[in-house]
Amino acid sequence: MGENKCLQADWQIKLDAWVHDPGEKALILLRGKGHEAGTVAKVRQALGIEQEHDYTRRADWWAASADRLQWPKGWNDQVRWYQQPELVHPLSANPLDVKLKVGDFSDTDVDEIEERSTAHSLDLIQRAGEDDRRRYLALWRFEPVLQGEVDDHGKLGKLWEVLPADSRIPDHSIWDHKDLTSAVAGAMASDPKGEVALLAMTLGPVQSFISAARSTTDLWAGSHLLSRLSWEMMRPLVEQLGPDAVLYPRLRGIPQVDVWLQEQLGQGFADLFAQLDWKKQSATNTNPLFVGAMPNRFVALVPAAHVETLAQQCEDAVRKWLSDLGQDVVERLLKTAGIPPKQDHYCYEQMARQLKGFPEVYWASVSFGLIETDERMRVKSSQALEQAAAPFWPEDGVPFFKSQYWKLIGEKEYAGEID
């Protein structure tokens, strides 16, 4: 079990992992220039990163393996995306021929693209100052957004936000890959053995809470409250490991997260936040800020040694936030009634009783340490994984997923008996 204290992520390593690929990678590959020589080198220099960290290389391999299928060696797999620009939907697999929309990018000047990309990143770094955590948050939030770009052939516009990480399999963006690389590197660097784990947390109950609504307003308020509780549950993890550590839901662009980022980044980024869509809308219930956009669960990449500590911190944080909210509600009601607030008033006891046990919080985790690898991340031994999976896939007998036990779990009613 990890110690009960806050982690201090190595933000320099997370920065190194985040900037390991440039946003314009798909536009400059196979055009006579390496994708790490231009923007990446200049941004690393501005960040004071002298050479790529070992964790960055490992995290890049991990992220690439998670992002896409690995191509067999020797295949003729070169795709010049600037000549054949195509995007593929990650779920439906429907292709979008970008060439039909805006043409190809054969005439686009590579040096100009790199200059614009570099200037954009360096501006964010300068705004953030010398603090590596602020630099990371600034790049994570705003590097995927080219402010002021328009949708024409000479500018990248919204296409910048979805440029692919791999020209052969263009179903995930370069920003998805950078997110995952940074998340893996950060988790590795924060673990004494460099081991990473998946942490899934959920809060509830949802259905019974929502069904208690007596009006449309109640439904909206309940949904909004659950969404806010989800954010407060994951917030300690985000503050310690960064928002890219949360794999689901994706946090970039969610207004509630932007509010938190504004507090972290300060006035130097006020003009960038002011250009976001939700900031331009009126402060009414139609504003995305007041939409219940968060699911009641999240999945995150965390250092394996600190799973239990992080899970407990997340549970404690959401309960404290709700308790503080309850206290505030009671005090406002007392003030409206003209009654001086005293802790021995029955209403405080009533509030505590109503909130007792809510929300229910559950979590589970699985470590990547079940597979032993060498320095090149090649599998050396899968013995631990085989042992963990043995109850599910026995060498002789009925596999767990075909057993009566599994049938019992999966059915609402079970009339038979288990031998």
Side-chain angles (χ1 to χ4, degrees):
M1 180 184 298
E3 297 180 9
N4 189 20
K5 63 180 182 179
C6 291
L7 290 172
Q8 293 296 326
D10 192 322
W11 300 104
Q12 182 84 174
I13 288 179
K14 287 185 69 69
L15 279 169
D16 182 42
W18 172 261
V19 304
H20 82 284
D21 274 339
E24 68 274 14
K25 180 179 178 180
L27 295 172
I28 64 176
L29 277 179
L30 305 176
R31 300 183 73 176
K33 298 188 69 172
H35 66 277
E36 297 181 357
T39 300
V40 172
K42 294 174 183 176
V43 172
R44 276 194 168 130
Q45 182 179 14
L47 293 171
I49 300 173
E50 296 181 358
Q51 62 181 11
E52 186 178 68
H53 198 279
D54 288 342
Y55 282 133
T56 297
R57 284 191 290 273
R58 292 178 60 193
D60 186 20
W61 296 332
W62 280 41
S65 298
D67 286 336
R68 52 191 178 266
L69 295 173
Q70 298 305 295
W71 288 75
K73 290 184 178 180
W75 278 31
N76 183 15
D77 56 359
Q78 291 186 346
V79 176
R80 288 171 168 77
W81 197 85
Y82 64 92
Q83 294 177 339
Q84 302 169 281
E86 181 183 65
L87 299 175
V88 176
H89 194 281
L91 298 180
S92 69
N94 290 332
L96 173 65
D97 191 340
V98 179
K99 190 173 183 177
L100 291 177
K101 301 290 184 179
V102 298
D104 64 31
F105 297 90
S106 299
D107 297 331
T108 304
D109 189 280
V110 175
D111 292 331
E112 181 187 356
I113 294 175
E114 285 189 345
E115 288 175 6
R116 287 160 55 199
S117 175
T118 302
H120 178 51
S121 299
L122 294 182
D123 173 63
L124 296 173
I125 294 170
Q126 182 180 17
R127 289 169 181 256
E130 298 299 319
D131 184 79
D132 282 338
R133 182 174 182 271
R134 280 167 48 87
R135 287 173 164 181
Y136 154 78
L137 292 175
L139 290 172
W140 176 84
R141 179 60 184 92
F142 289 111
E143 198 177 46
V145 182
L146 285 181
Q147 302 286 357
E149 294 283 349
V150 294
D151 294 321
D152 60 38
H153 195 188
K155 303 285 186 178
L156 294 175
K158 288 294 184 180
L159 185 61
W160 176 257
E161 301 177 19
V162 292
L163 287 173
D166 191 316
S167 59
R168 302 163 300 179
I169 311 176
D171 61 358
H172 59 289
S173 75
I174 186 66
W175 313 109
D176 295 326
H177 176 66
K178 286 158 71 79
D179 278 345
L180 190 53
T181 304
S182 177
V184 173
M188 286 178 171
S190 297
D191 187 89
K193 296 182 179 179
E195 293 186 2
V196 178
L198 281 174
L199 171 64
M201 296 196 70
T202 182
L203 61 80
V206 174
Q207 296 301 327
S208 59
F209 182 76
I210 295 296
S211 65
R214 295 166 295 177
S215 65
T216 304
T217 302
D218 285 352
L219 284 171
W220 175 88
S223 177
H224 180 73
L225 178 59
L226 284 173
S227 177
R228 180 61 185 271
L229 289 173
S230 293
W231 163 243
E232 295 300 332
M233 179 172 65
M234 68 180 75
R235 182 169 174 169
L237 188 149
V238 171
E239 290 181 336
Q240 295 174 69
L241 297 176
D244 57 18
V246 178
L247 305 182
Y248 172 83
R250 180 178 176 177
L251 298 183
R252 186 183 295 108
I254 295 180
Q256 182 64 65
V257 181
D258 281 340
V259 171
W260 171 76
L261 282 169
Q262 282 184 281
E263 298 172 355
Q264 305 298 308
L265 293 175
Q267 286 299 312
F269 292 83
D271 60 319
L272 299 184
F273 281 106
Q275 296 182 51
L276 300 178
D277 290 340
W278 70 270
K279 290 286 287 186
K280 298 176 182 178
Q281 298 186 29
S282 60
T284 65
N285 292 348
T286 61
N287 190 301
L289 178 61
F290 305 114
V291 173
M294 293 281 196
N296 69 316
R297 65 191 63 198
F298 72 85
V299 179
L301 268 174
V302 301
H306 299 280
V307 166
E308 292 186 45
T309 298
L310 288 167
Q312 189 62 56
Q313 289 175 351
C314 290
E315 180 176 350
D316 292 344
V318 68
R319 293 191 185 281
K320 183 180 185 304
W321 183 86
L322 187 58
S323 176
D324 291 344
L325 179 64
Q327 290 276 347
D328 183 58
V329 169
V330 170
E331 290 172 3
R332 290 190 183 192
L333 291 173
L334 290 174
K335 183 178 180 180
T336 301
I339 302 174
K342 294 182 180 180
Q343 286 298 318
D344 58 354
H345 285 323
Y346 173 73
C347 52
Y348 285 101
E349 178 188 343
Q350 184 182 30
M351 180 273 298
R353 187 171 65 252
Q354 290 177 344
L355 294 181
K356 185 178 180 180
F358 181 81
E360 299 173 3
V361 178
Y362 305 95
W363 65 271
S365 70
V366 60
S367 174
F368 283 86
L370 293 176
I371 299 178
E372 185 181 352
T373 59
D374 61 17
E375 67 280 358
R376 289 285 297 172
M377 300 310 298
R378 293 172 297 198
V379 176
K380 289 176 59 178
S381 172
S382 60
Q383 183 177 0
L385 178 61
E386 292 170 1
Q387 291 176 349
F392 300 94
W393 304 105
E395 293 183 1
D396 52 358
V398 180
F400 178 79
F401 291 111
K402 292 185 178 180
S403 68
Q404 293 187 40
Y405 295 99
W406 181 250
K407 292 178 182 178
L408 175 62
I409 294 173
E411 294 178 0
K412 294 182 179 179
E413 296 182 359
Y414 185 75
E417 295 182 357
I418 298 177
D419 296 331

